[in-house]
Amino acid sequence: MKVKTSITLSEDVLKAIDRRAKQYGSRSEFIEAALLAFMTQIARGERNARDLRIINRRAKRLNKEAADVLDYQVEL
């Protein structure tokens, strides 16, 4: 379901949107696609930050495990 809303944009931003909106059918479709892409990017950044925190918390154990695996490798 679509809900009508009102936003305020600078003229420059609106002109840039209008130049590209034709590819998406309308201003509204362009803005919706842009916002969905931006929200996806934010969510990805949050997941990456969470994963990095987990890796950093477990870094010593992961490094020890990696060193142990390397000990099993045959020298060439």
Side-chain angles (χ1 to χ4, degrees):
M1 172 177 76
K2 301 281 183 171
V3 178
K4 191 170 183 101
T5 187
S6 175
I7 60 171
T8 304
L9 302 170
S10 69
E11 284 184 40
D12 292 342
V13 170
L14 192 56
K15 285 178 185 177
I17 289 170
D18 286 341
R19 282 193 301 272
R20 290 171 173 79
K22 292 175 190 127
Q23 299 168 308
Y24 292 83
S26 70
R27 241 187 224 168
S28 292
E29 290 173 302
F30 176 82
I31 292 170
E32 185 172 358
L35 289 172
L36 286 170
F38 182 63
M39 290 185 298
T40 299
Q41 181 182 356
I42 290 170
R44 185 180 305 117
E46 291 169 346
R47 283 191 310 273
N48 289 343
R50 184 196 68 227
D51 291 347
L52 187 57
R53 286 192 303 273
I54 292 168
I55 290 168
N56 285 335
R57 270 198 320 264
R58 298 181 177 151
K60 281 186 180 180
R61 184 179 60 82
L62 292 170
N63 287 336
K64 185 178 183 291
E65 187 176 314
D68 186 47
V69 169
L70 290 174
D71 286 341
Y72 286 102
Q73 289 188 344
V74 176
E75 290 189 34
L76 299 177

